């Protein structure tokens, strides 16, 4: 959360209230503080593993219903803990803003990825989501934020690595590929918009987004009449992991990055996630990767370094 305890997404507020100075946000976005580095590590590793976890979970559970339960449980636990600690509950206006963000990020972003994984491998899903930093940079410009030259270079290098990785590795139906392209559009647009919406303060914003997003996903599952059957033990363990680590831990870390770092850096997880997903697929899922694929991972990591490298002083070529 912000240094003053307010919602990190409240910048600038639409009602003309408290706002972080632009210079303050730019200065913080240029520093790799311990909190930012820890949040990056959590998002890189945990979200990279969730692609494999989702694949296991939907082995015996309906995709949208599984996500709805996952986020409702995670949101309820976080909400109850915060209220127990004395945090104020969201106002009606904040609940509406949370529902918008929850629908875009959890419904459009995670929901579409989960649906796509019925016809695509977990590693392919992570590879396709690597376009997120490019979309984030484009959407950030709608609100007047600038993407530096080195960030654009890092985005291009990262996408080149993804293209190289997909040579001979991409196996997905056209519908799955379309869903995997639409998912980062919803996710990154929702992420950038969240910085300008009146969301609840601190982690209460994450709790409200998971509660509203999970409720919408579960409602959609019921409307589509998804089939429920007795889940396997593997699916239950996967849902538990996704709920605790993928939702409570990593989602909160990501929302911290959205508010405290540049868009390209906040979404740089999309380049590292394929690395983690591929390693898990090879190590646990029995998948294989060619020499060209391993070389592509090095290119992807080079793109991450370019995006994550701190900006130079204002007025320089890559500022």
């Amino acid at each position: 959360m912000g240094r003053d305890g307010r919602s990190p997404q409240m910048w600038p507020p639409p009602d003309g209230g408290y706002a972080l100075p632009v210079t303050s946000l730019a200065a913080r976005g240029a520093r790799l503080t311990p909190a930012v580095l820890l949040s990056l590590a959590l998002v890189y590793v945990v979200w990279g593993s969730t692609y494999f976890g989702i694949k296991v979970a939907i082995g015996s559970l309906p995709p949208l219903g599984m996500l709805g339960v996952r986020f409702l449980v995670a949101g309820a636990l976080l909400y109850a803990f915060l209220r127990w600690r004395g945090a104020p509950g969201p106002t009606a206006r904040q609940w509406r803003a949370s529902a918008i963000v929850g629908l875009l990020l959890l419904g459009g972003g995670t929901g579409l990825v989960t649906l796509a994984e019925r016809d695509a491998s977990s590693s392919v899903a992570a590879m396709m989501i690597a376009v997120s930093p490019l979309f984030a940079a484009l959407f950030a410009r709608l609100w007047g934020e600038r993407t530096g030259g080195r960030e654009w270079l890092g985005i291009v290098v990262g996408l080149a690595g993804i293209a190289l990785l997909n040579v001979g590795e991409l196996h997905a139906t056209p519908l799955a590929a379309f869903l995997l392209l639409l998912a980062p559009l919803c996710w990154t647009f929702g992420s950038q918009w969240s910085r300008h919406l009146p969301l609840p303060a601190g982690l209460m914003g994450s709790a409200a987004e998971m509660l509203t997003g999970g409720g919408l996903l579960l409602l959609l599952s019921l409307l589509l009449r998804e089939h429920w059957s007795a889940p396997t033990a593997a699916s239950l363990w996967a849902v538990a992991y996704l709920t605790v680590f993928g939702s409570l831990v990593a989602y909160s870390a990501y929302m911290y990055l959205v508010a405290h770092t540049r868009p390209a850096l906040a979404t740089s997880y999309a380049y590292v996630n394929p690395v983690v997903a591929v390693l898990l697929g090879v190590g646990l899922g029995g998948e294989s990767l060619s020499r060209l694929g391993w070389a592509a991972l090095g290119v992807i990591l080079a793109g991450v370094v370019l995006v994550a490298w701190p900006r130079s002083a204002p007025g320089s070529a890559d500022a």
Side-chain angles (χ1 to χ4, degrees), residues 9-304:
Q9 296 90 351
M10 284 280 290
W11 183 87
D15 57 0
Y18 175 87
L20 290 173
V22 176
T23 53
S24 174
L25 180 65
R28 289 187 302 168
R31 296 199 302 266
L32 294 177
T33 65
V36 168
L37 290 174
L38 176 60
S39 296
L40 283 172
L42 289 172
V43 172
Y44 283 175
V45 177
V46 174
W47 271 354
S49 67
T50 56
Y51 291 93
F52 182 74
I54 289 174
K55 193 72 174 180
V56 175
I58 63 176
S60 63
L61 290 171
L64 298 180
M66 182 275 294
L67 282 183
V69 172
R70 165 192 170 184
F71 288 122
L72 274 176
V73 172
L77 289 174
L78 184 57
Y79 182 85
F81 173 76
L82 292 172
R83 292 289 286 163
W84 176 69
R85 292 291 301 271
T91 64
R93 188 162 176 258
Q94 290 172 335
W95 277 117
R96 287 193 295 270
S98 299
I100 292 173
V101 177
L103 177 63
L104 287 170
L105 269 65
L106 307 182
T110 309
L112 292 177
V113 169
T114 303
L115 288 174
E117 284 202 40
R118 294 178 300 180
D119 302 304
S121 67
S122 58
S123 56
V124 165
M127 295 173 196
M128 293 290 288
I129 300 301
V131 297
S132 294
L134 176 58
F135 291 153
L138 294 176
F139 286 137
R141 297 183 71 87
L142 294 177
W143 283 280
E145 298 180 35
R146 182 185 175 191
T147 301
R150 188 169 57 219
E151 289 173 326
W152 281 115
L153 177 60
I155 290 171
V156 171
V157 171
L159 290 175
I162 292 299
L164 189 62
L165 187 61
N166 282 317
V167 174
E169 304 290 343
L170 181 59
H171 302 286
T173 64
L175 176 59
F178 173 74
L179 294 177
L180 290 173
L181 183 62
L182 185 60
L185 277 170
C186 294
W187 181 275
T188 52
F189 180 73
S191 296
Q192 296 307 308
W193 195 8
S194 73
R195 301 171 70 175
H196 306 268
L197 291 173
L199 294 171
L203 289 177
M204 184 59 77
S206 298
E209 289 156 22
M210 286 190 284
L211 281 172
T212 54
L216 291 170
L217 282 165
L218 196 56
L219 178 61
L220 185 58
S221 173
L222 295 175
L223 291 176
L224 294 178
R225 298 182 179 180
E226 284 189 325
H227 176 68
W228 290 79
S229 59
T232 63
S235 290
L236 291 177
W237 279 111
V239 172
Y241 175 80
L242 293 170
T243 300
V244 175
F245 292 95
S247 298
L248 287 173
V249 176
Y251 185 72
S252 297
Y254 173 70
M255 296 312 293
Y256 179 90
L257 291 173
V258 167
H260 292 80
T261 65
R262 294 161 284 129
L265 179 57
T267 55
S268 63
Y269 67 87
Y271 292 152
V272 182
N273 285 174
V275 180
V276 177
V278 168
L279 291 177
L280 285 176
V282 172
L284 301 178
E287 301 175 2
S288 61
L289 193 64
S290 64
R291 291 183 178 179
L292 184 62
W294 288 112
L297 296 183
V299 178
I300 292 170
L301 291 177
V304 175

